[in-house]
């Protein structure tokens, strides 16, 4: 994790969840992170079975040149990756484990930019994880991003975030869902294997 926006929102998510595996959505206070709001989003599952934007910060909407509220999260991604992206986002909720994505954004005129995208599970009052708090941020400044909208994102890799950053010990980031390598392996199997490896590593120390 290299971008200050993703580091700060992950630290905030860790802080409000305390000892729980995920915070309640009611615990998220926009006033606690006002400088990050433009880059934040909240996703929710819908009755149709897909995952859509409940909220999207103005900077994210500006990146794509449209209001994203109600839009499918997978609609931001390259053709051929839609099912993988939705399955991965659903897996983050099902297994209550945050994930970090590295992606390349492509504009309508051929520009390219690298992005970090983080997704962290949120619980409803009833206990179910049915929403995701996240952020999208470029890894480097690019003046054209304020003028030319992105056409789509292409996933480069995704990684599980098992530990806390900041003052706490940072656990090593582990790959979880390389698009090519994971086609024959279910997300749940990957997650269980990674958690098992992390526990074994911790016990060995």
């Amino acid at each position: 994790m290299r971008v200050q926006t993703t580091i700060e929102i992950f630290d905030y998510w860790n802080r409000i969840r305390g000892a729980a595996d995920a915070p309640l959505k009611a615990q998220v206070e926009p006033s606690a992170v006002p400088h990050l709001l433009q880059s934040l989003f909240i996703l929710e599952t819908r009755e149709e079975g897909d995952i859509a934007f409940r909220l999207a910060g103005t900077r994210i909407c500006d990146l794509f040149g449209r209001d994203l509220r109600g839009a499918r999260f997978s609609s931001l991604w390259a053709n051929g990756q839609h099912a993988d992206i939705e399955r991965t986002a659903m897996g983050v909720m099902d297994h209550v484990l945050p994930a970090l994505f590295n992606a390349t954004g492509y504009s309508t005129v051929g520009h390219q930019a690298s992005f970090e995208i983080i997704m962290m599970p949120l619980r409803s009052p009833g206990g179910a994880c049915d929403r995701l708090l996240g952020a999208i941020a470029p890894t480097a400044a690019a003046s054209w991003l304020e003028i030319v909208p992105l056409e789509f994102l292409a996933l480069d890799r995704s990684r599980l975030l098992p530990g806390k950053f900041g003052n706490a010990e940072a656990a090593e980031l582990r790959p979880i869902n390389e698009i090519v390598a994971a086609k024959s392996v279910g997300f749940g199997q990957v997650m269980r294997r990674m958690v098992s490896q992390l526990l074994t590593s911790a016990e060995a120390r």
Side-chain angles (χ1 to χ4, degrees):
M1 193 182 301
R2 297 185 295 140
V3 179
Q4 191 63 27
T5 297
T6 52
I7 292 172
E8 286 190 38
I9 195 60
F10 184 56
D11 284 342
Y12 173 71
W13 178 86
N14 266 316
R15 190 163 62 251
I16 62 174
R17 77 182 175 109
D21 55 3
L24 292 169
K25 58 189 179 186
Q27 290 179 265
V28 178
E29 292 287 348
S31 60
V33 286
H35 58 298
L36 301 179
L37 294 181
Q38 291 181 325
S39 299
L40 299 185
F41 62 80
I42 292 179
L43 303 178
E44 64 180 355
T45 54
R46 298 194 294 197
E47 292 182 0
E48 295 88 343
D50 61 358
I51 297 174
F53 284 95
R54 181 176 178 83
L55 295 170
T58 54
R59 188 165 295 164
I60 300 174
C61 294
D62 288 345
L63 283 174
F64 292 90
R66 57 192 172 102
D67 184 3
L68 293 173
R69 184 179 175 88
R72 291 184 67 166
F73 181 58
S74 61
S75 70
L76 305 188
W77 299 84
N79 290 331
Q81 292 189 343
H82 293 181
D84 292 290
I85 290 298
E86 287 220 343
R87 190 159 47 243
T88 301
M90 191 66 71
V92 170
M93 288 186 279
D94 289 345
H95 298 275
V96 201
L97 289 168
L100 181 72
F101 299 79
N102 292 99
T104 301
Y106 295 86
S107 78
T108 54
V109 294
H111 294 104
Q112 297 181 28
S114 296
F115 291 85
E116 275 191 351
I117 302 169
I118 192 168
M119 294 196 305
M120 301 157 289
L122 297 175
R123 288 195 181 278
S124 293
C129 275
D130 56 2
R131 292 189 186 177
L132 293 170
L133 171 65
I136 299 177
T139 60
S143 58
W144 64 266
L145 284 173
E146 300 177 5
I147 304 170
V148 183
L150 294 175
E151 185 174 7
F152 64 87
L153 295 168
L155 181 63
D156 299 319
R157 62 174 175 168
S158 59
R159 292 171 286 171
L160 180 67
L161 294 175
K164 295 184 178 182
F165 288 84
N167 295 327
E169 181 180 359
E172 181 184 358
L173 298 177
R174 303 297 184 94
I176 54 171
N177 193 28
E178 302 275 346
I179 287 295
V180 175
K183 283 189 181 295
S184 61
V185 182
F187 186 89
Q189 292 174 288
V190 176
M191 295 292 257
R192 285 191 292 272
R193 186 169 68 248
M194 297 315 305
V195 171
S196 176
Q197 290 174 357
L198 288 167
L199 292 175
T200 301
S201 176
E203 290 172 356
R205 295 191 188 122

